[in-house]
């Protein structure tokens, strides 16, 4: 809950500063027919000779065949799913979030958003690791709570990304995949434990 409050505070303060900058723009010597934007342009608009870093991530859903009545089958499936998701989340952090953070063109609003997402994804990795421990020890309710919190945190990042970048396909594609994986894991856990 404390993380959620901190994230909301950061986003609120960023929005307040953003609104203040728009409300009192610096006068320009000649009027511009195009509105001034205080948000950096989408990273998709910058030229890039190589494919996007996240395009190398294989974001396919795993085969969901698992015997819900079989504890070992559910545990193995969820563990495998979480291990894969941890790896891909760490790759996304390194290949997309960290690279955008060090981009000299990133303004304060972009960096605030990316720092929120970085914290969210780091916490997500911790939640996935805790889910594996919970499932292996038979604490399915706790695993379900961990995954539910993870899902909420991912939404916080995407709210920020949409505010800053708009429809950023790298984040949208990863968020859609992570959401599907989270729901899949929760369904397997709930299906077995009920």
């Amino acid at each position: 809950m404390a993380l959620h409050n901190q994230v909301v505070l950061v986003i609120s303060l960023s929005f307040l500063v953003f609104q203040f900058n728009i409300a009192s723009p610096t006068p320009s010597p000649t009027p511009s027919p195009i509105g001034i934007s205080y948000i950096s342009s989408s990273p998709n608009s910058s030229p890039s000779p190589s494919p996007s870093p996240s395009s190398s991530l294989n974001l396919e859903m795993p085969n969901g065949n698992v015997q819900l009545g079989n504890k070992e089958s559910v545990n193995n499936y969820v563990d495998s799913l979480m291990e894969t998701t941890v790896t891909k989340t760490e790759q996304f952090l390194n290949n997309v979030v960290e690279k955008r953070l060090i981009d000299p063109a990133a303004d304060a609003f972009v960096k605030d958003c990316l720092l929120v997402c970085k914290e969210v994804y780091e916490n997500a990795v911790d939640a996935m690791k805790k889910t594996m421990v919970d499932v292996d020890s038979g604490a399915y309710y706790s695993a379900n709570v961990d995954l539910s919190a993870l899902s909420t945190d991912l939404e916080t990042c995407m709210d920020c990304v949409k505010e800053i970048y708009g429809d950023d396909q790298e984040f949208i594609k990863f968020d859609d995949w992570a959401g599907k994986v989270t729901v899949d894991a929760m369904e397997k856990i709930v299906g077995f434990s009920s």
Side-chain angles (χ1 to χ4, degrees), residues 133-174:
V133 170
D134 290 341
V135 167
D136 290 341
S137 67
Y140 297 103
Y141 178 78
S142 182
N144 194 31
V145 169
D146 294 335
L147 289 172
S148 294
L150 180 149
S151 181
T152 302
D153 286 346
L154 292 176
E155 288 175 18
T156 301
C157 175
M158 280 309 296
D159 289 344
C160 176
V161 166
K162 287 177 183 174
E163 185 72 31
I164 296 295
Y165 290 113
D167 291 333
D168 186 294
Q169 290 305 305
E170 284 182 306
F171 275 94
I172 289 171
K173 184 177 177 183
F174 183 78

Side-chain angles (χ1 to χ4, degrees), residues 68 140-141 188-194:
L68 292 180
Y140 297 103
Y141 178 78
K188 301 301 187 273
I189 290 168
V190 169
F192 174 74
S193 62
S194 53

Side-chain angles (χ1 to χ4, degrees), residues 34-164:
I34 301 173
I36 299 171
S37 173
Y38 291 94
I39 300 176
S40 296
S41 64
S42 171
N44 296 335
S45 65
S46 61
S48 176
S50 60
S52 138
S54 68
S55 64
S56 63
L57 291 175
N58 178 7
L59 298 179
E60 294 178 12
M61 286 297 294
N63 179 350
N65 292 335
V66 63
Q67 298 171 350
L68 292 180
N70 182 325
K71 179 181 179 177
E72 186 176 335
S73 176
V74 171
N75 289 6
N76 288 340
Y77 180 78
V78 172
D79 282 351
S80 173
L81 188 62
M82 291 297 106
E83 287 170 5
T84 301
T85 307
V86 164
T87 301
K88 291 181 186 199
T89 302
E90 289 171 341
Q91 288 174 346
F92 188 78
L93 262 169
N94 293 330
N95 295 340
V96 177
V97 178
E98 291 288 350
K99 286 189 178 172
R100 290 188 187 187
L101 272 169
I102 61 172
D103 181 2
D107 62 24
F109 300 113
V110 170
K111 286 189 180 192
D112 282 346
C113 176
L114 292 171
L115 287 171
V116 166
C117 290
K118 179 180 177 185
E119 185 175 358
V120 162
Y121 290 133
E122 288 170 346
N123 290 339
V125 166
D126 292 341
M128 288 179 251
K129 290 177 180 177
K130 187 169 181 326
T131 297
M132 289 187 283
V133 170
D134 290 341
V135 167
D136 290 341
S137 67
Y140 297 103
Y141 178 78
S142 182
N144 194 31
V145 169
D146 294 335
L147 289 172
S148 294
L150 180 149
S151 181
T152 302
D153 286 346
L154 292 176
E155 288 175 18
T156 301
C157 175
M158 280 309 296
D159 289 344
C160 176
V161 166
K162 287 177 183 174
E163 185 72 31
I164 296 295

